[in-house]
Amino acid sequence: MASQFGVLFRVATWGESHGGGVGAVVDGCPPRIALTPEDIQRELDRRRPGQSEIVTPRDEKDRCEILSGVFEGKTLGTPISIFVKNEDARPEAYREMQSAYRPSHADFTYEAKYGIRNWQGGGRASARETIGRVAAGAIAKKVLAEAVPALEIVAYVKSVHHLEAVIDVETVESQAVEQSIVRCPDPKASDLMIELIKTMRKEGNSVGGVIECVVRNVPVGLGEPVFDKLEADLAKAMLSLPATKGFEIGSGFAGSRMTGSEHNDLFEMREGRVTTKTNYSGGIQGGITNGEPIVFRVAFKPTATILRPQQTVDVTGSSTELMARGRHDPCVLPRAVPMVEAMALLVLCDHWLRQKAAS
Amino acid sequence: MASQFGVLFRVATWGESHGGGVGAVVDGCPPRIALTPEDIQRELDRRRPGQSEIVTPRDEKDRCEILSGVFEGKTLGTPISIFVKNEDARPEAYREMQSAYRPSHADFTYEAKYGIRNWQGGGRASARETIGRVAAGAIAKKVLAEAVPALEIVAYVKSVHHLEAVIDVETVESQAVEQSIVRCPDPKASDLMIELIKTMRKEGNSVGGVIECVVRNVPVGLGEPVFDKLEADLAKAMLSLPATKGFEIGSGFAGSRMTGSEHNDLFEMREGRVTTKTNYSGGIQGGITNGEPIVFRVAFKPTATILRPQQTVDVTGSSTELMARGRHDPCVLPRAVPMVEAMALLVLCDHWLRQKAAS
Amino acid sequence: MASQFGVLFRVATWGESHGGGVGAVVDGCPPRIALTPEDIQRELDRRRPGQSEIVTPRDEKDRCEILSGVFEGKTLGTPISIFVKNEDARPEAYREMQSAYRPSHADFTYEAKYGIRNWQGGGRASARETIGRVAAGAIAKKVLAEAVPALEIVAYVKSVHHLEAVIDVETVESQAVEQSIVRCPDPKASDLMIELIKTMRKEGNSVGGVIECVVRNVPVGLGEPVFDKLEADLAKAMLSLPATKGFEIGSGFAGSRMTGSEHNDLFEMREGRVTTKTNYSGGIQGGITNGEPIVFRVAFKPTATILRPQQTVDVTGSSTELMARGRHDPCVLPRAVPMVEAMALLVLCDHWLRQKAAS
Amino acid sequence: MASQFGVLFRVATWGESHGGGVGAVVDGCPPRIALTPEDIQRELDRRRPGQSEIVTPRDEKDRCEILSGVFEGKTLGTPISIFVKNEDARPEAYREMQSAYRPSHADFTYEAKYGIRNWQGGGRASARETIGRVAAGAIAKKVLAEAVPALEIVAYVKSVHHLEAVIDVETVESQAVEQSIVRCPDPKASDLMIELIKTMRKEGNSVGGVIECVVRNVPVGLGEPVFDKLEADLAKAMLSLPATKGFEIGSGFAGSRMTGSEHNDLFEMREGRVTTKTNYSGGIQGGITNGEPIVFRVAFKPTATILRPQQTVDVTGSSTELMARGRHDPCVLPRAVPMVEAMALLVLCDHWLRQKAAS
């Protein structure tokens, strides 16, 4: 179950960064949804390496194949199997990892857990694993587009290191996000972020940041009251992404420094609909959507791979120094934006199906 | 499934705040674990209302009964059913809620989701639901105490509103936490927090804050590599608690403002064990424990119930004003400390069993 | 998970035969379904001991309480907790079981699995565990009665030992079943069966038999294509009942002795609906209902408890002789009829909800 | 979930008979198990078409690829993805199925359920889907071979139509099974069965039969007490196979015609081990293995595809006649033997892992 996600819209991903390839099987997709490889490829292209000058130059085309579950351009209701070959794998770049643990990577913990690991790359801990998630998210997007046509999801880079963008969650559009190679729709902040990331690359260093995501026109009633609160499933989804360190919804940590009279979202009628004056709740109350925009943020740590010598230990327990040689991102955030959207879409699509059954 | 949690150590909670009672069924508890009602009662008493002058005076003894799964003081390996009666329910205090939605409560979303709700209290959204979690957490604690005797878990109030405590995660002890009625082991901060909460109560207002939790002497290898990363399951567990708005592990959001060379936790040998010089990872790498302390923080919003008139709408869609009369907490954090520990214990116990199977 | 059943309509049962009581928690029941304790009690009364002269005289009223999930006579969509106290427990009747294993009971295997067991009765292996199932089945019945009003389910005793009844699956009604204390709607066979069971009781012996169940007016499209075929879930449901040894659907084992040209159910239109001339398929094709009656049979072994001295071994591994003294059924079938119906209803209700989500 | 099986050793299969291929993803396989493509191919070859003169001549090599989860010949503990291309697909043979429903196939029910189907073959209802199961079963076999080296599993054709073999469950060996192209280890019965199947083929007809399976040297304690009884999971596993109509364990339906004094398996010590004199229980008591051989039987109906004109209806609801042209098996049993073994191995491996966690 370690590699499965969702209750009714269920995704199983598989594959190591260095091996035959990576993929996903989506079980529970409703039938008769229009779906082409291009629908999936479009999202994979936003995730793939080599897409701009500030991401890893690993040259993976990440071409996806749909092996099952689709017939004459429509989903069958049966499992959809997606396959992406690994092409530009260079295991020799990882030779040192066979014997030494890279700091803040998963080499040591995988070895400790399994007593074995594929040292020719990051294995399942590699960002390549997220290809299956992004592909599955693209399918969820198509399902929701038919079920809830008005629904809009936009994720973007809110901050890189100390650089924070100013963005209006009510109006921000994907198009503006995609015009920035760092995927920050505030042009001024975007320029500064790109500059910072380039500097970091030159210095062999890396930076972290925060991705914000807004979902507008969400149906009311999604989410379950206790353990499967919508924000709980979103939190799990986000913290399951590589390099994430935090999640907050609505007012988040800042909300912990407010009083009740400031924080409560007063109800009012607007266009015949129950709405709230403010949205500190982030669109979810008691675990269930209230129709206001869902707004959440995800903290990403700086990429662990840096091109500097670092102290570590090897598999025999001796001290050693390690100098990474792989091709990596000085900042994961630009490529993480489609991952955040994909995971949010998986959660929403799953809960939309669950609510269909429950209501 | 909405009310079930865990894969192998599986908890199902049930019960509304106003009804026959609340409870939990724990399925998957290993056999032959010593367990008495007192083991559970001890934790419930830390959660129960009326325990101090800064929490709600609702007078619930919250006496638990073990109805099954235990024989002659030992678990049988079969489901353990825990039952706590509701006693001091005063549905009349909630009369207004029948027709109007309390701001930032779940009245509106439950109505939207189900087309029906038990308006005589918070229903499943009430903090009473967490009784089942705390009871189940007490059982998980007993299991882990036999399996991993050195394991220590301590949660405490790290901040209330703008008041932040200074606490050493390496050495903080439960005893120090329990000496403070606000459950903050920094005596100076504790006093200020108590004063602030009393002021808030007088003003009919409320405050939020942050709970921090540390788990020491965790075995290496717990957690699954992809979707069920340990931090992902912790995030879900915490965001499933009422009133939570954020979760962060290790460096958290602050980590997003660091560089890789600052953030990486260099490996070194200490007492024959692979350890890290720093612990920005928060004890988890690639979703799997590395043996360092797990450190995470949970943001709680200010209690939604405030004793002030508030604007809202009623079930017919008309504007109205609502003035709460129930007995509530001006700050949920003191009683939320055992909830945070309980949820963390459920996650750890579940993953400990999973790792037993996997290794 | 050992004690949980269903995907969306999910039942968790708990309780030993000798302990605080037994119960069930039903999670995933749709909201706004009319439900009273009487709806549940009616089915429990069909299952309870002491109901006639041919079943065990253990005097359990099996009065159920609904502790949660229902408000003003309607389901809330939240977990429904059902509780039935154990009253006429006589643990002293089981004293010998503390040290010796009853043949063809679960004493030995529980001891082998758990290293502990509640020897004061059958524990979870007791037929009392099925109270939770029958209660949950009664709830499923209410859900289906609103969703698919035409649906009819009738189970009955098809055979006891060598006595086989003649029953028309197209027309048999519950009323006719309930008129017979052995729950066989063929009056002639019923009389012979009752006589045989009385003889068995006198001889301190027991008999088995077969229960047949028919479900009419099933919607087309229920069941999933691969592992969760409707007949697969029915088979699991039935083989999870105590004392069952076999399951067959439609033509069953007899179908294995037919040729394709005899066995194929030819399609034809009837009243504007696709139907089949014959129903060897038993209402399910490719795991999915085709609208024809579902017909299946379940084989029950003779009750293991017989009032005769039997050779066995004790917990120290020595040979011994055991003579049962408990109050037991010479034939479980009359009381198993509502269990079979309950389990079938759980499967149907779960798949009906699943199909709602999927279509 | 429709296409997923197992709790800890979890298999997801995917693929239609006519499409890119079929496959399986196995999640939860323990690490460091030796595994090569040949281990899987060996079992697939027993299942594949064209292997003998009495099975379908469809020419599929069914060559499997392991795409992930294995490194240097050992499992990694991560998902194992198996892929088998479809090669000899001839969709034109299925042209008629586009508009008409084949009797006793799943064409009508898939259409009714999904409103769409891949009519170029049996889709997910095709026996090709079982490739993923057999591949996963081969992996389970390797896991169990390391964990329980003495465990032996042997399935074989017990009967075809009215022809029943005489086989000793205590001694039958796989080698004897494989020497017969019909996979019946009783040479005399085997010859008669082969002759009968050839006659059926000539007549364009088909026959069913019964497969028996014995598992010897099973550890005691496998299986869960209530819903996940080992026989319940075996029943589900078997009834999820295409063309199955019944399942029985131990005494099965014949046991329903016995008395308790005949049927009870008396305990006795043998070689220091608790054993039973007889084995009417079929190796399982109270859902849990007792160490005696597990013995069960599965009924298969005659193949639905027969080469004779048959009355049916088309998608517009008009009567029509259909004459199959595809390449099919006159009797599925020879190829179903490895499927039965595979499904049994999946159940046993899953429960073995579950028991590891639970004990």
Side-chain angles (χ1 to χ4, degrees):
Chain A
M1 293 125 330
S3 291
Q4 304 197 355
F5 189 79
V7 172
L8 287 182
F9 192 87
R10 195 166 180 91
V11 180
T13 71
W14 56 268
E16 280 80 39
S17 65
H18 294 68
V22 295
V25 179
V26 176
D27 197 4
C29 182
R32 302 185 311 278
I33 305 291
L35 182 69
T36 64
E38 289 68 41
D39 293 323
I40 295 167
Q41 196 62 50
R42 194 178 312 123
E43 301 300 326
L44 291 183
D45 287 348
R46 297 173 69 208
R47 195 218 72 92
R48 82 175 180 82
Q51 64 180 268
S52 81
E53 50 184 326
I54 57 170
V55 306
T56 171
R58 179 169 168 171
D59 185 26
E60 291 282 3
K61 292 286 169 286
D62 288 350
R63 301 304 307 176
C64 72
E65 286 179 74
I66 300 178
L67 295 175
S68 69
V70 176
F71 182 62
E72 299 181 340
K74 301 254 179 196
T75 59
L76 285 166
T78 57
I80 303 170
S81 178
I82 310 288
F83 176 39
V84 171
K85 244 194 196 143
N86 289 335
E87 290 179 335
D88 187 25
R90 301 191 194 162
E92 69 286 0
Y94 293 87
R95 174 62 58 186
E96 293 91 344
M97 291 165 51
Q98 185 171 12
S99 55
Y101 303 128
R102 290 171 300 164
S104 286
H105 273 275
D107 304 335
F108 167 64
T109 52
Y110 271 57
E111 186 79 38
K113 184 178 188 69
Y114 296 117
I116 185 175
R117 76 196 146 95
N118 179 339
W119 51 263
Q120 301 178 328
R124 290 291 282 162
S126 160
R128 275 194 83 65
E129 180 274 330
T130 63
I131 285 177
R133 306 181 188 219
V134 170
I139 299 172
K141 199 174 194 172
K142 297 286 289 186
V143 174
L144 288 169
E146 295 204 7
V148 192
L151 187 140
E152 290 175 333
I153 183 166
V154 190
Y156 44 83
V157 173
K158 174 72 178 168
S159 69
V160 168
H161 202 256
H162 63 288
L163 300 168
E164 188 163 337
V166 179
I167 295 152
D168 179 359
V169 298
E170 299 281 348
T171 58
V172 61
E173 298 282 354
S174 284
Q175 213 185 339
V177 177
E178 293 305 305
Q179 276 164 3
S180 154
I181 59 171
V182 75
R183 289 202 169 84
C184 172
D186 169 346
K188 217 159 110 186
S190 172
D191 288 349
L192 292 168
M193 288 170 180
I194 292 166
E195 204 176 328
L196 178 61
I197 293 169
K198 286 182 179 172
T199 305
M200 284 296 138
R201 158 169 289 166
K202 251 178 265 158
E203 297 178 358
N205 209 341
S206 65
V207 272
V210 171
I211 288 177
E212 189 168 72
C213 183
V214 57
V215 194
R216 293 186 294 249
N217 304 319
V218 186
V220 296
L222 303 191
E224 299 284 340
V226 181
F227 296 112
D228 296 357
K229 286 185 165 77
L230 198 72
E231 66 267 46
D233 279 356
L234 285 170
K236 172 168 175 146
M238 298 307 146
L239 267 292
S240 78
L241 283 170
T244 54
K245 302 304 292 179
F247 169 88
E248 58 179 15
I249 183 139
S251 62
F253 278 87
S256 75
R257 293 183 295 274
M258 294 170 74
T259 65
S261 62
E262 292 162 348
H263 193 276
N264 280 358
D265 294 320
L266 303 183
F267 285 113
E268 61 181 6
M269 298 302 292
R270 216 154 48 211
E271 298 166 22
R273 208 167 64 76
V274 177
T275 62
T276 61
K277 264 185 205 296
T278 49
N279 186 20
Y280 292 116
S281 299
I284 305 175
Q285 294 179 322
I288 300 165
T289 54
N290 65 359
E292 302 299 306
I294 298 174
V295 184
F296 65 85
R297 283 165 296 282
V298 188
F300 287 81
K301 67 170 188 175
T303 322
T305 303
I306 54 176
L307 302 180
R308 296 175 176 201
Q310 293 183 93
Q311 182 197 325
T312 189
V313 300
D314 66 18
V315 294
T316 68
S318 307
S319 287
T320 182
E321 208 182 69
L322 196 64
M323 173 76 193
R325 292 185 299 155
R327 295 150 297 168
H328 298 273
D329 296 270
C331 178
V332 299
L333 280 88
R335 295 176 57 204
V337 164
M339 299 178 201
V340 166
E341 287 182 5
M343 291 309 297
L345 286 161
L346 292 182
V347 170
L348 289 166
C349 187
D350 191 35
H351 276 279
W352 178 74
L353 291 177
R354 290 172 73 172
Q355 179 60 4
K356 259 187 82 178
S359 60
Chain B
M1 292 125 331
S3 291
Q4 304 196 355
F5 189 79
V7 172
L8 287 182
F9 191 87
R10 194 165 180 90
V11 181
T13 72
W14 57 267
E16 279 80 40
S17 65
H18 293 68
V22 295
V25 180
V26 176
D27 197 3
C29 181
R32 302 184 312 278
I33 305 290
L35 182 70
T36 65
E38 291 67 41
D39 293 322
I40 295 168
Q41 197 62 50
R42 194 178 311 123
E43 301 299 326
L44 291 183
D45 287 348
R46 298 173 68 210
R47 195 219 71 92
R48 83 175 178 83
Q51 64 181 267
S52 80
E53 51 183 327
I54 57 169
V55 307
T56 172
R58 180 171 168 168
D59 185 25
E60 291 283 3
K61 294 285 170 285
D62 289 351
R63 301 303 309 175
C64 73
E65 286 179 75
I66 299 178
L67 295 175
S68 69
V70 176
F71 182 63
E72 299 181 338
K74 301 256 181 194
T75 59
L76 285 165
T78 58
I80 303 171
S81 178
I82 310 287
F83 176 39
V84 171
K85 244 193 199 147
N86 290 335
E87 291 179 335
D88 187 24
R90 302 190 193 163
E92 69 285 0
Y94 292 87
R95 174 62 58 184
E96 294 93 343
M97 291 165 50
Q98 186 171 13
S99 55
Y101 303 129
R102 292 171 299 166
S104 285
H105 273 274
D107 305 335
F108 167 64
T109 52
Y110 271 56
E111 187 78 40
K113 184 178 188 69
Y114 296 118
I116 185 175
R117 75 196 147 94
N118 180 340
W119 50 262
Q120 301 178 328
R124 290 291 282 161
S126 161
R128 276 194 82 65
E129 180 274 328
T130 61
I131 286 176
R133 305 181 188 218
V134 171
I139 300 172
K141 199 174 193 171
K142 296 286 289 187
V143 174
L144 287 169
E146 295 205 8
V148 191
L151 188 140
E152 291 174 332
I153 182 166
V154 191
Y156 44 83
V157 174
K158 174 73 178 169
S159 69
V160 169
H161 202 256
H162 63 288
L163 300 167
E164 189 164 336
V166 179
I167 295 152
D168 180 359
V169 298
E170 299 281 350
T171 59
V172 61
E173 298 281 352
S174 284
Q175 213 185 338
V177 176
E178 293 305 305
Q179 277 163 3
S180 154
I181 60 172
V182 75
R183 290 204 166 82
C184 172
D186 168 347
K188 215 157 111 188
S190 172
D191 288 349
L192 294 169
M193 288 170 180
I194 292 166
E195 203 176 328
L196 176 62
I197 292 169
K198 286 181 178 171
T199 306
M200 284 296 136
R201 158 170 287 166
K202 250 178 269 161
E203 297 177 359
N205 209 342
S206 64
V207 272
V210 171
I211 288 177
E212 189 168 73
C213 183
V214 57
V215 194
R216 292 186 294 250
N217 304 320
V218 186
V220 296
L222 303 192
E224 299 284 338
V226 181
F227 295 113
D228 296 356
K229 287 184 164 77
L230 198 72
E231 67 267 49
D233 279 356
L234 286 170
K236 172 166 176 147
M238 298 307 147
L239 267 293
S240 79
L241 284 170
T244 53
K245 302 303 291 178
F247 169 88
E248 57 178 18
I249 184 140
S251 63
F253 278 86
S256 75
R257 293 183 294 274
M258 294 170 75
T259 64
S261 63
E262 292 162 348
H263 193 277
N264 280 357
D265 294 320
L266 302 184
F267 285 113
E268 60 180 7
M269 298 303 292
R270 216 155 47 212
E271 297 165 24
R273 206 167 64 77
V274 177
T275 63
T276 60
K277 264 185 203 298
T278 49
N279 186 20
Y280 292 115
S281 299
I284 305 176
Q285 293 178 323
I288 300 164
T289 53
N290 65 0
E292 300 300 305
I294 298 175
V295 183
F296 64 87
R297 283 166 296 283
V298 188
F300 288 80
K301 68 170 185 173
T303 322
T305 302
I306 55 175
L307 302 181
R308 298 176 174 198
Q310 293 183 95
Q311 183 197 323
T312 188
V313 300
D314 66 18
V315 294
T316 69
S318 306
S319 287
T320 185
E321 207 183 72
L322 196 65
M323 172 76 194
R325 292 186 299 157
R327 296 151 297 169
H328 298 273
D329 296 271
C331 179
V332 298
L333 279 89
R335 294 176 58 205
V337 164
M339 298 178 203
V340 166
E341 286 182 5
M343 291 308 298
L345 286 162
L346 292 182
V347 170
L348 288 166
C349 186
D350 191 35
H351 276 280
W352 178 74
L353 291 177
R354 290 172 74 173
Q355 179 60 5
K356 257 186 85 175
S359 59
Chain C
M1 292 127 330
S3 290
Q4 303 197 355
F5 189 79
V7 172
L8 288 181
F9 191 88
R10 194 165 180 92
V11 180
T13 72
W14 57 267
E16 279 80 40
S17 66
H18 294 68
V22 295
V25 180
V26 176
D27 198 3
C29 181
R32 303 186 309 279
I33 305 291
L35 182 69
T36 65
E38 290 67 41
D39 292 323
I40 295 167
Q41 197 62 52
R42 193 178 311 123
E43 300 300 326
L44 291 183
D45 287 349
R46 297 172 69 209
R47 195 218 72 92
R48 83 174 180 81
Q51 65 180 268
S52 80
E53 52 184 324
I54 57 170
V55 307
T56 170
R58 180 169 167 170
D59 185 26
E60 292 283 3
K61 293 284 170 285
D62 289 349
R63 301 303 307 175
C64 72
E65 285 179 75
I66 300 179
L67 296 175
S68 70
V70 176
F71 183 62
E72 299 181 338
K74 300 256 180 194
T75 59
L76 285 165
T78 58
I80 303 170
S81 177
I82 310 288
F83 175 40
V84 171
K85 243 193 198 145
N86 289 335
E87 291 178 335
D88 187 24
R90 302 190 191 162
E92 70 284 0
Y94 292 87
R95 176 60 59 184
E96 294 93 343
M97 290 163 52
Q98 186 172 11
S99 55
Y101 302 129
R102 291 171 300 164
S104 286
H105 274 274
D107 305 335
F108 167 64
T109 52
Y110 272 55
E111 186 78 39
K113 184 178 188 67
Y114 295 118
I116 185 175
R117 74 197 147 93
N118 180 340
W119 51 262
Q120 301 177 326
R124 291 290 282 162
S126 159
R128 276 195 82 65
E129 180 274 330
T130 62
I131 285 176
R133 306 180 187 219
V134 170
I139 300 172
K141 198 174 194 172
K142 296 286 289 187
V143 174
L144 287 169
E146 295 204 7
V148 191
L151 188 140
E152 291 175 333
I153 182 167
V154 191
Y156 42 83
V157 174
K158 175 72 179 171
S159 69
V160 169
H161 202 257
H162 63 287
L163 300 167
E164 188 163 335
V166 179
I167 296 152
D168 179 359
V169 297
E170 298 282 347
T171 59
V172 61
E173 298 281 352
S174 284
Q175 213 184 338
V177 176
E178 293 306 305
Q179 278 164 1
S180 154
I181 58 171
V182 75
R183 290 202 167 84
C184 173
D186 169 347
K188 217 159 111 188
S190 172
D191 288 348
L192 293 168
M193 288 170 180
I194 292 166
E195 202 176 330
L196 176 61
I197 293 169
K198 286 180 178 172
T199 306
M200 283 296 136
R201 158 168 288 166
K202 250 177 269 161
E203 297 178 358
N205 209 342
S206 65
V207 272
V210 172
I211 288 177
E212 188 168 73
C213 183
V214 57
V215 194
R216 293 185 294 249
N217 303 319
V218 186
V220 295
L222 303 191
E224 300 284 340
V226 180
F227 295 113
D228 296 357
K229 287 184 166 75
L230 198 73
E231 68 266 48
D233 279 356
L234 285 170
K236 171 167 175 145
M238 298 307 146
L239 267 293
S240 79
L241 284 169
T244 53
K245 302 304 290 178
F247 169 88
E248 57 178 16
I249 184 140
S251 63
F253 279 87
S256 75
R257 292 184 293 274
M258 293 169 73
T259 65
S261 62
E262 291 162 348
H263 193 277
N264 281 358
D265 293 320
L266 302 184
F267 286 112
E268 61 181 5
M269 298 303 292
R270 214 154 48 210
E271 297 166 23
R273 208 169 63 76
V274 176
T275 62
T276 61
K277 264 184 204 295
T278 49
N279 186 20
Y280 292 116
S281 299
I284 305 175
Q285 294 179 321
I288 300 164
T289 53
N290 65 0
E292 300 300 305
I294 298 175
V295 183
F296 64 86
R297 282 165 298 280
V298 188
F300 288 80
K301 66 171 188 174
T303 321
T305 302
I306 55 176
L307 302 180
R308 298 176 174 198
Q310 293 182 93
Q311 181 197 324
T312 188
V313 300
D314 66 18
V315 294
T316 67
S318 306
S319 287
T320 184
E321 206 182 71
L322 196 65
M323 172 77 192
R325 291 186 299 156
R327 296 150 298 167
H328 297 273
D329 295 271
C331 178
V332 298
L333 280 88
R335 294 176 58 205
V337 164
M339 300 177 202
V340 165
E341 286 182 6
M343 291 308 297
L345 285 162
L346 292 181
V347 170
L348 288 166
C349 186
D350 191 35
H351 276 279
W352 178 74
L353 290 176
R354 291 173 72 172
Q355 178 61 3
K356 257 187 83 178
S359 60
Chain D
M1 295 126 328
S3 291
Q4 304 195 356
F5 188 80
V7 172
L8 287 182
F9 192 87
R10 195 166 181 91
V11 181
T13 72
W14 57 267
E16 279 80 39
S17 65
H18 293 68
V22 295
V25 179
V26 176
D27 198 3
C29 181
R32 303 185 311 278
I33 305 290
L35 182 69
T36 64
E38 290 67 41
D39 292 323
I40 295 168
Q41 197 61 51
R42 193 178 312 122
E43 300 300 326
L44 292 183
D45 287 349
R46 296 173 68 209
R47 194 219 72 92
R48 83 174 180 83
Q51 65 180 266
S52 80
E53 51 184 326
I54 57 170
V55 306
T56 171
R58 180 170 168 170
D59 185 26
E60 292 283 4
K61 294 286 171 283
D62 289 350
R63 300 304 308 176
C64 72
E65 285 179 75
I66 300 178
L67 295 175
S68 69
V70 176
F71 183 62
E72 300 182 339
K74 300 256 180 192
T75 59
L76 284 165
T78 58
I80 303 170
S81 178
I82 310 288
F83 175 40
V84 171
K85 245 195 197 144
N86 289 335
E87 291 179 335
D88 187 25
R90 302 190 191 164
E92 71 284 359
Y94 293 87
R95 175 63 59 184
E96 293 94 342
M97 290 165 51
Q98 186 171 12
S99 56
Y101 303 128
R102 291 171 299 165
S104 285
H105 274 273
D107 305 335
F108 167 64
T109 54
Y110 271 56
E111 187 78 39
K113 183 178 189 69
Y114 295 118
I116 186 174
R117 75 196 146 94
N118 179 341
W119 50 262
Q120 301 178 327
R124 290 291 281 162
S126 161
R128 276 195 81 66
E129 181 274 330
T130 61
I131 285 176
R133 307 181 186 218
V134 171
I139 299 172
K141 198 174 194 172
K142 296 286 289 188
V143 174
L144 287 169
E146 295 204 8
V148 191
L151 187 140
E152 290 175 332
I153 182 167
V154 190
Y156 43 83
V157 173
K158 174 73 179 170
S159 69
V160 169
H161 202 258
H162 62 287
L163 300 168
E164 190 165 335
V166 179
I167 296 152
D168 178 0
V169 298
E170 299 281 349
T171 58
V172 60
E173 299 281 354
S174 284
Q175 212 184 339
V177 177
E178 293 306 306
Q179 277 163 2
S180 153
I181 60 171
V182 76
R183 290 203 166 83
C184 173
D186 168 347
K188 215 157 113 189
S190 172
D191 288 349
L192 293 168
M193 289 170 179
I194 292 166
E195 202 176 331
L196 176 62
I197 293 169
K198 286 182 179 172
T199 306
M200 283 296 138
R201 158 169 287 165
K202 251 179 266 159
E203 297 178 359
N205 209 342
S206 65
V207 273
V210 172
I211 288 177
E212 189 168 71
C213 182
V214 57
V215 195
R216 293 185 294 248
N217 304 321
V218 185
V220 295
L222 302 192
E224 300 284 338
V226 181
F227 295 113
D228 296 356
K229 287 184 165 77
L230 198 72
E231 67 267 47
D233 279 356
L234 286 171
K236 171 166 175 145
M238 298 307 146
L239 267 293
S240 79
L241 284 170
T244 54
K245 302 305 290 179
F247 169 88
E248 57 178 17
I249 183 140
S251 64
F253 278 87
S256 75
R257 291 183 295 273
M258 295 169 73
T259 66
S261 63
E262 292 162 348
H263 192 277
N264 281 357
D265 294 319
L266 303 183
F267 285 112
E268 60 179 8
M269 297 303 291
R270 214 155 48 212
E271 296 165 24
R273 207 168 64 77
V274 176
T275 62
T276 60
K277 266 186 202 296
T278 49
N279 186 20
Y280 291 116
S281 299
I284 305 176
Q285 293 179 322
I288 300 164
T289 53
N290 64 0
E292 301 299 305
I294 298 175
V295 184
F296 64 85
R297 282 165 296 282
V298 188
F300 288 79
K301 67 171 185 171
T303 321
T305 302
I306 54 174
L307 303 181
R308 296 174 175 201
Q310 291 182 95
Q311 182 197 324
T312 188
V313 299
D314 66 20
V315 293
T316 68
S318 306
S319 287
T320 184
E321 208 183 71
L322 195 64
M323 172 76 193
R325 292 187 299 157
R327 296 151 295 168
H328 297 273
D329 295 90
C331 178
V332 298
L333 280 88
R335 293 177 56 205
V337 164
M339 299 178 203
V340 165
E341 285 182 6
M343 291 308 298
L345 287 162
L346 292 182
V347 170
L348 288 167
C349 186
D350 192 35
H351 276 279
W352 178 74
L353 291 177
R354 292 172 73 172
Q355 178 60 3
K356 257 187 83 177
S359 60

